[in-house]
């Protein structure tokens, strides 16, 4: 989480500053000689430690170095985690529109409050069927139309199944947004007014900070997966409705219980949303049978704005 | 160490005091015991805040670990890591006192600072010795487990207790089989269809998991019982969404473009020839 | 030397090249003003972000893309009239081909700008050429538009060579020296020798065939930008041919309007007669019939099958977009059909009215293809913000639309100062034929 990363950076910075006295002499022989420069640099800038363990002095050279690292990171993000195929299973019987998944995602990715990479829909499939709550992250389809139509290759599908967006290449044509049948992408229409820390190396796996004029979407928290941690929405769900796992390992977990994916699919008849579109999503749903919470509890405690959303506006929206 | 005792007792009976700062928060402690496959006894104390969006682990806080019900003795100290877990391994030579029920008592205490209130947690554990052996033959894959406790130097076999067999997965442990101890022994049949790594290697874990009496006790064994599993997408794979386009697309595009621009070239050459002819005529 | 035997041709068709009236400056000024307002709107958009437009997360393509398709469609005037009629060697085409070719080239220049307005990061536009993915319909579109622009420009230039040569050589009218020098360069040394004539006519034939082919390809590719997505209303197998027909329709309509406009402004009544209007009007009628047939076919199959999403879309068209739908798909087709079809109604004025209605109807047709589909995605729009539920274009988008039209006018007016708006050489050929 943002808290963690900041404290981690500051701790490293703190420790490095202690050892910097020695480091400075070895690293900056030239800098030590030009005594003025040294004082200037350490006076107005902080020595920082990047994720790759390099010591950086934030000045002109560092900016170039930062750019080089950013480009390396953008390259390496195109390769997935080897021998993994990530999947998510969402148990609709447990979803009660708590919306904590949305908040955790927004906080982790520095998103403005009206940007929702995971969205909660109120769906009623037919006139005489019962309404239910549908959390919809990006499905990271195996036949991703959004990737097929991108003219510059800013969005790509990795071997581990995750579809990412490179905010530094996206030209903002929005073709991918019309290509996605699940409306999973959002566009930054105005300046998000979010500042990234000075030493920030842009990482498509975390995809922060948001960039005006580019497209953003759920990234299955690929940055957390590198540390064997569950995505933010999965961790935040108070009902444990979101399960995440690896198809190769045949295991999914919501942080509390771990299940075998194939067994869960068999026992609970898992399915994918709008399967007939041929997109082959990586997100499976468990039907809302034997629900833990009834539909109405999802309407309790909603802000007026959110209550406004779910007023029936079309034939597919659930009745209240 | 003994001078800590009165303080400890006082802290136990008093509620957390308001330190006067407006930011002071009350963290929680989750305290667990693990006896790992090498027999090390490990105490894990996780300190976290109950935030709106889930648990917020607290890093860098010192946690003191004590033992003994009647007179708590300090075992050691650890600092919580970035996951909020203070990890303390009880040295092997330390003999832990037991109470009348043959249980060990542990305490984890965070003494508090200006940002967070003090908090502590206690734990009782009965020591159990777990042995595991794995065997594969025509009958299938079998795991033999043996568990016994020791009371007054006497081996007491464990009975009427569940034990689970897990395999480690990316984020957690997956339970794949279950056994039941009768007279200190349990036999578990291991399923055939558990995915392992590319070569079929699989770590098998027999574990008392969050057991009410024994805590967490596990034994691990490396086997080749996993179904070899991998996920590789061929570099040469071409589709609509890959980096390189399908061959027929490239061919079609080249033919179309060559055809059209070839004609343009013809027109341009005609214009050049007109120009040259005009110069000649002058 | 290239001489035109009919002196009156030269005098009457070069009035704009010789002198500029005060009205010209006035009109030009108006166009420049409208264009300047558009530039201001563009600066606002670049500065504040696309939030100043009406586009939001569901309707991500709005008036800009509608204009893009519309302007690209206008380019069919050249492909059809110039290209097809050239290959058929229709004698009556002579006065109108220059307009047609100019419309083509100018609208091809304007169209892509509307995509640029829709792109979020204009500074990264070169990425389209640096990192192209040929699986993407937008890449096909970039390649096709560049090819089309190049080809149409070559075709226009080829048809201007003889006129430039004539203007270079003529002594019947007085042309400013710098323009004479320009014509000398642009004429490429054409003096009318047999060899040159042969080269020129062969090149023109080849290019005429090419621009027909490339025009069909360009517009189909544009249609497939919509057709290959899964969105209800867009994922239609008929979109390629449908867009091509609609483009020919809009090109023909604009041609009629331009013919009348320039006929009145530059006093070309002698050269562009009622016969021309009737002929192009008949083209309009045929195309309108085809266009109506395609539209009917598309909606009939959608409505009859009533696949869930198609039904929701059609309901929306008849509820929220009722007036637009009636205007575009009923009036826009039936009125041209009636006016040109019934002999009694075939006056120049009526045909021009029919063309205006057809053109407006086509703009609305593009609008109801692009916007309602985006307002009815597979997953229902559940939002509390009205601007995310319903698309309403803002002043920025309308200003830039007006600026696009203004630039069209500006280019036309500027070109009229250099090149004759009616092809003098073609007129001579056709009048020779007539005399015989």
């Amino acid at each position: 989480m943002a808290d963690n990363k900041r404290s981690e950076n500051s701790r490293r910075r703190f420790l490095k500053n202690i050892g910097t006295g020695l480091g400075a002499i070895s690293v900056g022989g030239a800098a030590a000689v030009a005594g003025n420069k040294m004082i200037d640099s350490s006076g107005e800038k902080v020595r920082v430690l990047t994720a790759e363990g390099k010591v950086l002095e934030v000045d002109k050279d560092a900016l170039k170095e930062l750019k080089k690292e950013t480009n390396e990171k953008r390259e390496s993000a195109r390769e997935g985690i080897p021998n993994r195929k990530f999947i998510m299973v969402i148990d609709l019987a447990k979803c009660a529109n708590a919306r904590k998944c949305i908040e955790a995602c927004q906080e982790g990715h520095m998103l403005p409050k009206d940007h929702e990479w995971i969205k909660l829909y109120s769906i009623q499939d037919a006139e005489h069927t019962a309404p239910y709550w549908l959390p919809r992250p990006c499905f990271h389809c195996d036949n991703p139309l959004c990737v097929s139509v991108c003219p510059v290759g800013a969005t790509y599908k990795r071997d581990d199944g995750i579809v990412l967006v490179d905010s530094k290449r996206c030209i903002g044509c929005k073709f991918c947004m019309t290509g996605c049948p699940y409306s999973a992408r959002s566009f930054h229409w105005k300046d998000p007014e979010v500042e990234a820390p000075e030493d920030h190396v842009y990482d498509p796996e975390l995809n922060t900070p948001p960039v005006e004029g580019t497209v953003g979407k759920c990234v299955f928290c690929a940055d957390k997966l590198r540390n064997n941690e569950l995505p933010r929405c999965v961790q935040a769900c108070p009902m444990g409705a979101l399960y995440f796992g690896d198809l190769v390992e045949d295991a999914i977990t919501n942080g509390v219980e771990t299940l075998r994916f194939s067994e869960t699919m068999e026992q609970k008849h898992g399915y994918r949303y709008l399967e007939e579109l041929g997109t082959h999503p990586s997100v499976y749903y468990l039907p809302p049978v034997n629900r833990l919470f009834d539909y109405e509890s999802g309407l309790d405690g909603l802000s007026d704005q959110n209550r406004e959303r779910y007023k029936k506006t079309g034939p597919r929206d659930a009745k209240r | 160490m003994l001078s800590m005792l009165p303080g400890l007792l006082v802290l136990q009976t008093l509620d957390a005091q308001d330190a006067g700062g407006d930011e002071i928060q009350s963290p929680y402690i989750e305290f667990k015991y693990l006896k790992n496959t090498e027999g090390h006894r490990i105490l894990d104390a996780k300190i976290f805040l109950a935030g709106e969006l889930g648990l917020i682990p607290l890093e860098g806080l010192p946690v003191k670990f004590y033992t003994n019900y009647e007179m708590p003795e300090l075992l050691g100290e650890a600092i919580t890591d970035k996951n909020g877990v203070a990890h303390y391994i009880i040295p092997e030579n330390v003999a832990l006192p037991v109470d009348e029920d043959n249980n060990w008592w542990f305490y984890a205490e965070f003494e508090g600072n200006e940002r967070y209130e003090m908090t502590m947690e206690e734990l009782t554990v009965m020591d159990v010795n777990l042995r595991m052996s794995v065997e594969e033959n025509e009958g299938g894959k079998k795991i033999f487990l043996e568990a016994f406790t020791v009371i007054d130097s006497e081996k007491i076999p464990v009975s009427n207790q569940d034990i689970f067999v897990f395999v480690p997965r990316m984020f957690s442990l997956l339970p794949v089989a279950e056994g039941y101890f009768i007279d200190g022994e349990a036999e578990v049949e291991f399923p055939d269809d558990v995915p392992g790594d590319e070569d079929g290697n699989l770590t098998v874990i027999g574990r008392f998991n969050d057991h009410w009496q024994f805590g967490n006790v596990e034994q691990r064994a490396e086997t080749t019982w996993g179904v070899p599993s991998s996920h590789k997408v061929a570099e040469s794979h071409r589709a609509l969404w890959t980096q390189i386009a399908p061959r027929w697309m490239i061919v079609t595009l080249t033919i179309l473009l060559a055809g059209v621009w070839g004609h343009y070239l013809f027109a341009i050459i005609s214009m050049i020839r007109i120009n040259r002819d005009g110069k000649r005529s002058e | 030397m290239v001489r035109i035997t009919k002196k009156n041709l030269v005098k009457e068709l070069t009035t704009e090249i010789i002198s500029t009236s005060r009205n010209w400056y006035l009109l030009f000024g108006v166009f420049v003003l409208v264009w300047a307002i558009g530039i201001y709107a563009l600066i606002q958009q670049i500065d504040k972000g696309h939030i100043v437009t009406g586009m939001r997360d569901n309707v991500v393509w709005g008036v800009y893309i509608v204009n893009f398709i519309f302007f690209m469609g206008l380019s069919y005037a050249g492909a059809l009239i110039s290209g097809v009629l050239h290959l058929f060697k229709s004698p009556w085409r002579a006065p109108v081909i220059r307009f047609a070719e100019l419309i083509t080239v100018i609208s091809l220049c304007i169209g892509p700008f509307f995509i640029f307005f829709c792109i979020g990061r204009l500074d990264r536009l070169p990425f389209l050429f640096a990192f192209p993915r040929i699986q993407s319909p937008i890449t096909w579109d970039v390649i096709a538009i560049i090819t089309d622009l190049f080809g149409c420009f070559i075709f226009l230039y080829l048809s201007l060579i003889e006129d430039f040569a004539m203007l270079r050589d003529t002594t019947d009218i007085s042309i400013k020296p710098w323009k004479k020098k320009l014509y000398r360069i642009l004429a490429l040394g054409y003096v009318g020798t047999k060899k040159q004539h042969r080269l020129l006519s062969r090149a023109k034939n080849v290019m005429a065939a090419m621009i027909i082919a490339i025009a069909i390809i360009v517009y189909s590719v544009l249609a497939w930008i919509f057709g290959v997505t899964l969105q209800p209303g867009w994922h239609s197998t008929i979109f390629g041919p449908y867009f091509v027909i609609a483009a020919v329709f809009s090109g023909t309509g604009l041609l009629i309007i331009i013919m009348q406009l320039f006929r009145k402004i530059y006093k070309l009544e002698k050269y562009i007669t009622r016969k021309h209007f009737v002929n192009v009007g008949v083209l309009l009628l045929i195309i309108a019939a085809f266009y109506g047939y395609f539209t009917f076919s598309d909606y009939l199959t959608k409505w009859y099958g009533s696949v869930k999403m198609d039904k929701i879309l059609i309901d929306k068209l008849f509820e929220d977009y009722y007036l637009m739908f009636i205007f575009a798909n009923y009036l826009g087709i039936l009125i041209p059909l009636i006016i040109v079809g019934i002999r009694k109604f075939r006056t120049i004025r009526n045909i021009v009215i029919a063309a205006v209605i057809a053109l407006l109807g086509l703009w609305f047709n593009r609008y109801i293809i692009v916007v309602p589909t985006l307002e009815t995605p597979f997953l229902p729009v559940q939002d509390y913000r009205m601007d995310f539920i319903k698309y309403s274009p803002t002043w920025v988008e309308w200003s830039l639309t007006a600026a696009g039209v203004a630039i069209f006018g500006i280019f036309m007016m500027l070109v009229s100062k250099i090149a004759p708006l009616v092809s003098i050489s073609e007129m001579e050929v056709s009048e020779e034929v007539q005399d015989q």
Side-chain angles (χ1 to χ4, degrees):
Chain A
M1 297 192 185
D3 260 348
N4 252 355
K5 194 168 163 68
R6 264 192 290 257
S7 57
E8 172 187 295
N9 273 339
S10 60
R11 182 172 69 110
R12 282 185 166 155
R13 233 180 278 158
F14 170 69
L15 291 172
K16 209 58 196 168
N17 270 334
I18 301 281
T20 274
L22 302 162
I25 298 169
S26 52
V27 162
V33 166
N36 277 345
K37 251 199 189 151
M38 211 32 177
I39 293 169
D40 277 343
S41 332
S42 58
E44 38 178 21
K45 277 144 191 168
V46 178
R47 275 180 204 247
V48 291
L49 188 69
T50 68
E52 278 72 49
K54 287 207 190 81
V55 176
L56 287 186
E57 223 181 305
V58 185
D59 57 11
K60 215 177 184 184
D61 284 331
L63 283 178
K64 242 199 272 174
E65 181 72 34
L66 206 64
K67 189 159 192 263
K68 184 156 147 267
E69 280 191 38
T70 303
N71 285 341
E72 280 167 13
K73 200 79 188 127
R74 288 165 64 203
E75 281 286 324
S76 70
R78 287 184 184 247
E79 299 177 20
I81 300 175
N83 274 324
R84 299 266 181 217
K85 171 83 178 71
F86 293 110
I87 46 170
M88 190 184 268
V89 176
I90 300 183
D91 192 351
L92 296 175
K94 294 186 184 163
C95 179
N97 196 22
R99 308 182 74 84
K100 297 290 180 226
C101 48
I102 301 176
E103 289 170 30
C105 175
Q106 286 172 335
E107 196 191 298
H109 293 100
M110 301 191 205
L111 293 177
K113 283 295 161 216
D114 62 349
H115 260 75
E116 296 176 346
W117 285 358
I118 178 170
K119 253 190 148 82
L120 261 160
Y121 288 94
S122 160
I123 300 279
Q124 182 169 0
D125 292 323
E127 197 186 330
H128 299 289
T129 61
Y132 57 93
W133 299 102
L134 184 82
R136 187 237 63 214
C138 165
F139 286 164
H140 297 270
C141 305
D142 286 339
N143 177 9
L145 221 66
C146 55
V147 174
S148 303
V149 298
C150 178
V152 293
T155 181
Y156 48 87
K157 185 170 176 72
R158 320 194 307 188
D159 284 351
D160 61 1
I162 296 185
V163 175
L164 289 181
V165 178
D166 184 350
S167 284
K168 292 207 181 292
R169 197 189 277 191
C170 176
I171 63 173
C173 69
K174 294 165 256 162
F175 200 359
C176 57
M177 293 180 71
T178 62
C180 176
Y182 307 107
S183 319
R185 289 169 171 250
S186 33
F187 190 75
H188 294 284
W189 298 98
K190 58 181 193 272
D191 187 0
E193 279 155 15
V194 171
E195 279 284 326
E198 234 177 45
D199 59 331
H200 180 79
V201 176
Y202 171 71
D203 181 6
E205 292 186 351
L206 177 59
N207 210 22
T208 56
V211 178
E212 180 190 345
T214 63
V215 171
K217 70 170 193 73
C218 156
V219 291
F220 265 4
C221 286
D223 62 314
K224 284 221 173 277
L225 297 180
R226 294 267 180 202
N227 296 330
N228 284 14
E229 285 172 28
L230 289 169
R232 295 169 173 85
C233 51
V234 176
Q235 289 184 31
C237 178
M239 316 309 182
L242 302 177
Y243 292 79
F244 194 83
D246 176 13
L247 192 64
V248 177
E249 276 186 339
D250 195 29
I252 49 173
T253 179
N254 63 359
V256 174
E257 62 172 334
T258 307
L259 310 167
R260 280 198 73 168
F261 173 68
S262 48
E263 266 174 35
T264 314
M265 287 294 112
E266 195 185 306
Q267 288 165 7
K268 299 206 177 170
H269 186 72
Y271 66 95
R272 297 190 293 197
Y273 199 65
L274 297 181
E275 179 76 52
E276 60 275 9
L277 290 181
T279 49
H280 296 290
S282 300
V283 174
Y284 294 77
Y285 286 96
L286 302 179
V289 189
N290 294 331
R291 299 200 216 180
L292 253 54
F293 313 96
D294 60 4
Y295 173 79
E296 271 68 26
S297 63
L299 295 167
D300 292 336
L302 285 183
S303 66
D304 286 335
Q305 269 182 356
N306 287 334
R307 201 175 289 278
E308 190 61 35
R309 281 179 201 261
Y310 298 121
K311 284 209 167 65
K312 184 172 165 64
T313 52
R316 286 159 302 151
D317 298 319
K319 291 203 261 282
R320 297 238 283 140
Chain B
M1 258 188 264
L2 292 177
S3 59
M4 290 299 305
L5 302 177
L8 190 59
L9 292 168
V10 167
L11 283 166
Q12 263 182 299
T13 51
L14 284 178
D15 282 340
Q17 287 163 338
D18 191 356
D22 42 11
E23 284 270 355
I24 196 153
Q25 292 167 294
S26 310
Y28 295 89
I29 269 196
E30 187 184 63
F31 190 21
K32 287 195 168 148
Y33 164 87
L34 167 68
K35 186 175 189 180
N36 71 4
T37 195
E38 288 128 24
H40 295 307
R41 298 161 298 187
I42 303 168
L43 297 174
D44 284 322
K46 177 168 173 170
I47 305 190
F48 56 91
L49 292 172
E52 274 241 343
L53 303 172
L55 311 178
I56 304 172
L58 300 174
E59 190 185 344
L61 301 180
V63 176
K64 290 203 168 89
F65 295 96
Y66 299 86
T67 184
N68 200 345
Y69 177 57
E70 286 156 26
M71 291 203 326
E73 300 160 15
L74 181 67
L75 282 169
E77 194 176 318
I79 310 259
T80 55
D81 62 13
K82 70 170 165 66
N83 292 324
V85 180
H87 194 72
Y88 179 73
I89 305 178
I90 302 173
E92 279 178 64
N93 52 3
V94 172
L96 295 167
V98 292
D99 68 1
E100 61 242 9
D101 298 320
N102 205 35
N103 288 329
W104 292 329
W105 283 74
F106 296 111
Y107 305 91
E109 186 195 6
F110 163 63
E111 284 166 346
N113 59 20
E114 64 270 358
R115 285 191 68 190
Y116 303 112
E117 285 184 353
M118 87 57 96
T119 178
M120 70 164 282
E121 187 57 75
E122 66 183 38
L123 189 59
T124 47
V125 170
M126 183 187 290
D127 186 29
V128 67
N129 297 293
L130 183 64
R131 306 268 181 274
M132 179 171 87
S133 62
V134 296
E135 189 183 302
E136 184 176 2
N137 52 32
E138 311 86 44
K141 308 173 173 71
K142 293 219 191 319
I143 301 175
F144 298 99
L145 294 147
E146 227 186 286
F148 59 90
T149 57
V150 177
I151 303 184
D152 301 325
S153 311
E154 221 187 289
K155 262 194 186 179
I156 315 247
V158 167
S159 263
N160 301 330
Q161 301 291 348
D162 289 319
I163 187 153
F164 291 91
V165 173
F166 294 89
V167 292
R169 304 281 83 164
M170 185 172 175
F171 308 102
S172 57
L173 300 176
L174 173 70
V176 293
E178 199 178 319
Y180 194 68
F181 274 108
I182 298 181
D183 217 20
E185 283 181 0
E187 182 180 313
V188 183
E189 203 163 305
F190 194 81
D192 283 327
D193 59 348
V194 180
D197 71 2
E198 276 180 284
D199 307 310
N201 296 321
L202 190 61
T203 308
V204 167
I205 306 175
R207 180 173 163 125
F208 285 113
N209 196 37
D210 277 340
H211 195 272
W212 63 275
Q213 199 172 37
F214 304 135
N216 294 299
V217 182
E218 68 177 31
Q219 286 285 298
R220 293 185 178 224
E222 300 292 332
T223 68
T224 55
W225 287 357
V227 174
S229 317
S230 64
H231 178 73
K232 286 195 180 357
V233 181
E235 279 269 348
S236 58
H237 176 60
R238 286 159 175 249
L240 280 173
W241 63 87
T242 49
Q243 182 83 329
I244 312 172
R247 282 192 191 85
W248 70 267
M249 271 189 160
I250 300 181
V251 168
T252 308
L253 197 71
T254 312
I255 292 177
L256 275 173
L257 281 182
V260 173
W261 286 85
H263 284 87
Y264 290 176
L265 206 62
F266 172 76
I268 293 176
I269 290 176
S270 298
M271 294 201 297
I272 295 175
R273 288 175 68 188
I274 289 174
N275 195 4
R276 250 189 271 147
D277 197 52
K279 287 211 177 75
R280 241 182 293 137
S281 305
E282 273 173 19
Chain C
M1 289 286 267
V2 174
R3 280 219 177 275
I4 300 287
T5 49
K6 315 248 165 188
K7 288 193 188 331
N8 56 330
L9 268 180
V10 174
K11 278 215 168 62
E12 285 168 11
L13 297 178
T14 55
T15 46
E16 275 308 303
I17 297 180
I18 302 172
S19 63
T20 306
S21 67
R22 204 175 48 144
N23 286 343
W24 191 95
Y25 285 111
L26 223 60
L27 185 60
F28 195 74
V30 169
F31 278 149
V32 169
L33 184 66
V34 173
W35 176 73
I37 295 176
I39 294 292
Y40 172 69
L42 182 62
I43 292 174
Q44 287 294 301
Q45 185 183 289
I46 293 177
D47 182 37
K48 298 207 175 83
H50 282 219
I51 197 84
V52 301
T53 68
M55 300 186 282
R56 297 287 183 269
D57 263 0
N58 283 296
V59 184
V60 295
W61 286 348
V63 164
Y64 292 148
I65 295 292
V66 172
N67 284 335
F68 167 60
I69 308 172
F70 185 71
F71 276 88
M72 296 297 295
L74 296 179
S75 76
Y76 263 65
L80 183 71
I81 310 296
S82 286
V84 170
L85 293 186
H86 178 95
L87 289 178
F88 285 159
K89 306 241 181 297
S90 318
W92 59 269
R93 79 185 194 281
V96 300
I97 52 169
R98 182 58 47 74
F99 287 140
E101 289 153 15
L102 280 174
I103 292 174
T104 300
V105 172
I106 294 175
S107 54
L108 276 178
C109 289
I110 298 178
F113 274 91
F114 280 105
I115 314 185
F116 298 162
F117 299 154
C118 203
I119 284 191
R121 296 289 311 221
L122 273 176
D123 56 324
R124 295 183 186 170
L125 212 54
F127 287 2
L128 281 171
F129 302 99
F131 308 111
R133 274 188 82 249
I134 68 168
Q135 296 108 312
S136 167
I138 283 188
T139 308
W140 307 340
D141 207 30
V142 168
I143 295 175
I145 291 178
I146 291 177
T147 308
D148 195 14
L149 193 54
F150 212 75
C152 288
F153 189 76
I154 291 179
F155 187 62
L156 176 67
Y157 193 78
L158 283 174
S159 80
L160 279 169
I161 286 181
E162 280 172 309
D163 280 4
F164 286 148
M166 182 277 303
L167 284 167
R168 174 195 62 195
D169 295 335
T170 189
T171 51
D172 300 322
I173 49 175
S174 64
I175 301 176
K176 293 207 183 67
W178 68 268
K179 276 194 189 165
K180 277 272 193 196
K181 196 158 156 224
L182 188 65
Y183 293 139
R184 205 187 334 270
I185 300 171
L186 289 174
L188 288 185
Y190 184 80
V191 288
T193 65
K194 264 208 168 46
K195 182 159 170 231
Q196 281 180 330
H197 189 84
R198 189 174 40 94
L199 280 170
L200 190 63
S201 110
R202 267 236 296 243
K204 279 207 268 192
N205 288 341
V206 161
M207 286 313 295
M210 270 300 111
I211 63 169
I212 298 172
I214 198 70
I216 294 179
I217 292 177
V218 164
Y219 226 66
S220 302
V221 161
L222 214 144
W224 291 332
I225 286 182
F226 299 96
V228 298
T229 65
L230 292 168
Q231 303 293 344
W234 283 2
H235 194 61
S236 167
T237 55
I238 212 179
F239 256 34
Y242 183 34
F243 271 48
V244 170
I245 295 288
V248 179
F249 194 23
S250 64
T252 316
L254 185 65
L255 184 63
I256 293 175
I257 296 173
I258 296 280
M259 270 162 58
Q260 173 68 331
L261 263 175
F262 281 63
R263 180 171 166 269
K264 280 272 182 277
I265 294 176
Y266 298 122
K267 300 196 185 7
L268 299 165
E269 286 91 342
K270 210 170 80 162
Y271 299 95
I272 304 175
T273 62
R274 181 171 167 280
K275 190 173 74 114
H276 294 102
F277 280 92
V278 171
N279 283 348
V280 185
V282 166
L283 272 172
L284 192 74
L285 175 127
I286 298 174
I287 303 296
F290 269 106
Y291 169 72
Y293 167 56
F294 273 67
T295 307
F296 183 71
S297 169
D298 193 33
Y299 284 113
L300 177 72
T301 47
K302 285 194 170 84
W303 173 79
Y304 201 99
S306 56
V307 170
K308 187 176 195 177
M309 292 311 302
D310 285 344
K311 173 115 194 356
I312 294 176
L313 179 69
I314 290 183
D315 284 346
K316 186 178 249 284
L317 283 173
F318 277 103
E319 284 162 26
D320 296 344
Y321 292 93
Y322 187 60
L323 287 173
M324 256 191 241
F325 190 81
I326 297 294
F327 186 79
N329 295 331
Y330 285 84
L331 298 179
I333 300 172
L334 291 173
I335 291 183
L337 276 176
I338 294 173
I339 288 183
V340 185
I342 301 179
R343 199 175 286 265
K344 213 169 52 150
F345 292 145
R346 279 187 216 162
T347 66
I348 292 184
R349 195 184 62 136
N350 286 352
I351 293 181
V352 172
I353 291 175
V356 170
I357 291 181
L359 210 61
L360 274 175
L362 275 162
W363 193 91
F364 286 122
N365 174 57
R366 306 301 206 279
Y367 191 91
I368 61 176
I369 285 178
V370 170
V371 175
T373 291
L374 291 173
E375 283 183 352
T376 54
F378 283 101
L379 279 164
V381 178
Q382 290 175 344
D383 214 307
Y384 51 89
R385 300 162 289 189
M386 207 50 213
D387 52 341
F388 276 70
I389 299 176
K390 182 131 184 62
Y391 170 67
S392 42
T394 60
W395 73 273
V396 170
E397 292 163 283
W398 293 126
S399 316
L400 282 167
T401 307
V405 175
I407 277 277
F408 193 93
I410 288 176
F411 277 168
M412 271 290 192
M413 294 180 82
L414 287 175
V415 168
S416 73
K417 292 286 142 206
I418 308 279
L421 286 175
V422 174
S423 173
I424 303 178
S425 43
E426 291 275 351
M427 283 307 298
E428 199 192 16
V429 167
S430 86
E431 289 212 355
E432 275 174 9
V433 167
Q434 272 184 5
D435 286 344
Q436 286 161 8

